[in-house]
Amino acid sequence: AMVEQASALLVLGSSLTVMSGFRYVRHAAKLEVPVVIVNQGPTRGDAYAAATLDAPLGAVLTELAAELRPTLETA
């Protein structure tokens, strides 16, 4: 139900090898909910994704937090 209400699905640091995570990606794609995957290396869900970023998750999240920090501090 959460996927059906989502405006997008963000997958962080998972190869989606296990069906419990992969099924959400397939469900989102079927509903035309955009899927974005951030993972180091390919994933089983890449074919369903609107965008993928092949990068270390720690570095990506650290950079994102640094960019968001000024916005969050003024909110």
Side-chain angles (χ1 to χ4, degrees):
M2 291 176 73
V3 171
E4 292 169 6
Q5 296 173 14
S7 58
L9 177 66
L10 177 60
V11 178
L12 299 172
S14 173
S15 64
L16 298 169
T17 301
V18 178
M19 185 55 125
S20 60
F22 182 56
R23 67 186 171 126
Y24 293 113
V25 171
R26 289 193 326 183
H27 187 56
K30 181 180 176 184
L31 297 172
E32 298 184 358
V33 171
V35 176
V36 176
I37 300 172
V38 180
N39 190 61
Q40 197 165 6
T43 79
R44 189 161 79 157
D46 288 354
Y48 297 92
T52 61
L53 178 58
D54 186 346
L57 186 57
V60 170
L61 292 180
T62 299
E63 186 174 328
L64 179 61
E67 288 184 29
L68 291 176
R69 187 167 290 119
T71 303
L72 295 174
E73 290 173 353
T74 60

